PDB file of all heavy atoms in Angstrom:
ATOM      1  N   ILE G 285      22.624 -29.210 241.404  1.00 77.00           N
ATOM      2  CA  ILE G 285      22.862 -28.224 242.460  1.00 77.00           C
ATOM      3  C   ILE G 285      21.691 -28.289 243.435  1.00 77.00           C
ATOM      4  O   ILE G 285      20.538 -28.216 243.021  1.00 77.00           O
ATOM      5  CB  ILE G 285      22.964 -26.811 241.866  1.00 77.00           C
ATOM      6  CG1 ILE G 285      24.107 -26.761 240.839  1.00 77.00           C
ATOM      7  CG2 ILE G 285      23.201 -25.785 242.964  1.00 77.00           C
ATOM      8  CD1 ILE G 285      24.230 -25.431 240.148  1.00 77.00           C
ATOM      9  N   PRO G 286      21.974 -28.419 244.743  1.00 82.00           N
ATOM     10  CA  PRO G 286      20.870 -28.449 245.701  1.00 82.00           C
ATOM     11  C   PRO G 286      20.018 -27.186 245.588  1.00 82.00           C
ATOM     12  O   PRO G 286      20.549 -26.090 245.364  1.00 82.00           O
ATOM     13  CB  PRO G 286      21.585 -28.494 247.056  1.00 82.00           C
ATOM     14  CG  PRO G 286      22.940 -29.009 246.772  1.00 82.00           C
ATOM     15  CD  PRO G 286      23.267 -28.576 245.389  1.00 82.00           C
ATOM     16  N   VAL G 287      18.720 -27.361 245.749  1.00 81.00           N
ATOM     17  CA  VAL G 287      17.789 -26.252 245.519  1.00 81.00           C
ATOM     18  C   VAL G 287      18.105 -25.066 246.416  1.00 81.00           C
ATOM     19  O   VAL G 287      17.967 -23.918 246.017  1.00 81.00           O
ATOM     20  CB  VAL G 287      16.332 -26.743 245.693  1.00 81.00           C
ATOM     21  CG1 VAL G 287      16.117 -27.346 247.053  1.00 81.00           C
ATOM     22  CG2 VAL G 287      15.350 -25.624 245.462  1.00 81.00           C
ATOM     23  N   GLN G 288      18.594 -25.329 247.628  1.00 83.00           N
ATOM     24  CA  GLN G 288      18.890 -24.220 248.548  1.00 83.00           C
ATOM     25  C   GLN G 288      19.965 -23.300 247.989  1.00 83.00           C
ATOM     26  O   GLN G 288      19.948 -22.097 248.246  1.00 83.00           O
ATOM     27  CB  GLN G 288      19.329 -24.758 249.912  1.00 83.00           C
ATOM     28  CG  GLN G 288      18.249 -25.471 250.684  1.00 83.00           C
ATOM     29  CD  GLN G 288      18.130 -26.928 250.295  1.00 83.00           C
ATOM     30  OE1 GLN G 288      18.883 -27.435 249.473  1.00 83.00           O
ATOM     31  NE2 GLN G 288      17.166 -27.609 250.889  1.00 83.00           N
ATOM     32  N   PHE G 289      20.888 -23.874 247.216  1.00 85.00           N
ATOM     33  CA  PHE G 289      21.946 -23.028 246.670  1.00 85.00           C
ATOM     34  C   PHE G 289      21.442 -22.179 245.521  1.00 85.00           C
ATOM     35  O   PHE G 289      21.874 -21.045 245.351  1.00 85.00           O
ATOM     36  CB  PHE G 289      23.143 -23.884 246.248  1.00 85.00           C
ATOM     37  CG  PHE G 289      23.938 -24.360 247.418  1.00 85.00           C
ATOM     38  CD1 PHE G 289      23.783 -25.642 247.903  1.00 85.00           C
ATOM     39  CD2 PHE G 289      24.798 -23.501 248.070  1.00 85.00           C
ATOM     40  CE1 PHE G 289      24.499 -26.067 249.012  1.00 85.00           C
ATOM     41  CE2 PHE G 289      25.517 -23.920 249.181  1.00 85.00           C
ATOM     42  CZ  PHE G 289      25.364 -25.205 249.650  1.00 85.00           C
ATOM     43  N   THR G 290      20.514 -22.731 244.717  1.00 82.00           N
ATOM     44  CA  THR G 290      19.975 -21.889 243.649  1.00 82.00           C
ATOM     45  C   THR G 290      19.107 -20.776 244.246  1.00 82.00           C
ATOM     46  O   THR G 290      19.069 -19.675 243.729  1.00 82.00           O
ATOM     47  CB  THR G 290      19.164 -22.714 242.630  1.00 82.00           C
ATOM     48  OG1 THR G 290      18.116 -23.367 243.326  1.00 82.00           O
ATOM     49  CG2 THR G 290      20.014 -23.730 241.938  1.00 82.00           C
ATOM     50  N   ILE G 291      18.456 -21.072 245.387  1.00 82.00           N
ATOM     51  CA  ILE G 291      17.657 -20.036 246.039  1.00 82.00           C
ATOM     52  C   ILE G 291      18.558 -18.905 246.524  1.00 82.00           C
ATOM     53  O   ILE G 291      18.197 -17.734 246.486  1.00 82.00           O
ATOM     54  CB  ILE G 291      16.854 -20.647 247.212  1.00 82.00           C
ATOM     55  CG1 ILE G 291      15.713 -21.488 246.660  1.00 82.00           C
ATOM     56  CG2 ILE G 291      16.307 -19.563 248.129  1.00 82.00           C
ATOM     57  CD1 ILE G 291      14.941 -22.252 247.709  1.00 82.00           C
ATOM     58  N   MET G 292      19.773 -19.262 246.965  1.00 87.00           N
ATOM     59  CA  MET G 292      20.738 -18.270 247.438  1.00 87.00           C
ATOM     60  C   MET G 292      21.178 -17.305 246.342  1.00 87.00           C
ATOM     61  O   MET G 292      21.606 -16.197 246.620  1.00 87.00           O
ATOM     62  CB  MET G 292      21.995 -18.997 247.917  1.00 87.00           C
ATOM     63  CG  MET G 292      22.098 -19.277 249.360  1.00 87.00           C
ATOM     64  SD  MET G 292      23.722 -20.025 249.601  1.00 87.00           S
ATOM     65  CE  MET G 292      23.287 -21.289 250.764  1.00 87.00           C
ATOM     66  N   LEU G 293      21.127 -17.808 245.081  1.00 84.00           N
ATOM     67  CA  LEU G 293      21.790 -17.112 243.980  1.00 84.00           C
ATOM     68  C   LEU G 293      21.498 -15.600 243.898  1.00 84.00           C
ATOM     69  O   LEU G 293      22.435 -14.801 243.853  1.00 84.00           O
ATOM     70  CB  LEU G 293      21.424 -17.823 242.671  1.00 84.00           C
ATOM     71  CG  LEU G 293      22.458 -17.775 241.567  1.00 84.00           C
ATOM     72  CD1 LEU G 293      23.786 -18.316 242.058  1.00 84.00           C
ATOM     73  CD2 LEU G 293      21.975 -18.582 240.376  1.00 84.00           C
ATOM     74  N   PRO G 294      20.209 -15.178 243.905  1.00 81.00           N
ATOM     75  CA  PRO G 294      19.970 -13.743 243.770  1.00 81.00           C
ATOM     76  C   PRO G 294      20.629 -12.928 244.883  1.00 81.00           C
ATOM     77  O   PRO G 294      21.139 -11.837 244.631  1.00 81.00           O
ATOM     78  CB  PRO G 294      18.442 -13.616 243.868  1.00 81.00           C
ATOM     79  CG  PRO G 294      17.907 -14.965 243.633  1.00 81.00           C
ATOM     80  CD  PRO G 294      18.965 -15.944 243.995  1.00 81.00           C
ATOM     81  N   TYR G 295      20.628 -13.486 246.093  1.00 87.00           N
ATOM     82  CA  TYR G 295      21.180 -12.738 247.224  1.00 87.00           C
ATOM     83  C   TYR G 295      22.696 -12.646 247.134  1.00 87.00           C
ATOM     84  O   TYR G 295      23.290 -11.587 247.376  1.00 87.00           O
ATOM     85  CB  TYR G 295      20.753 -13.398 248.541  1.00 87.00           C
ATOM     86  CG  TYR G 295      19.272 -13.656 248.598  1.00 87.00           C
ATOM     87  CD1 TYR G 295      18.761 -14.938 248.738  1.00 87.00           C
ATOM     88  CD2 TYR G 295      18.369 -12.600 248.476  1.00 87.00           C
ATOM     89  CE1 TYR G 295      17.396 -15.175 248.761  1.00 87.00           C
ATOM     90  CE2 TYR G 295      17.010 -12.826 248.498  1.00 87.00           C
ATOM     91  CZ  TYR G 295      16.521 -14.115 248.638  1.00 87.00           C
ATOM     92  OH  TYR G 295      15.183 -14.343 248.652  1.00 87.00           O
TER      93      TYR G 295
END
Side-chain angles (χ1 to χ4, degrees):
Chain G
I285 301 177
V287 57
Q288 293 85 2
F289 285 100
T290 58
I291 287 174
M292 264 184 221
L293 210 55
Y295 310 119

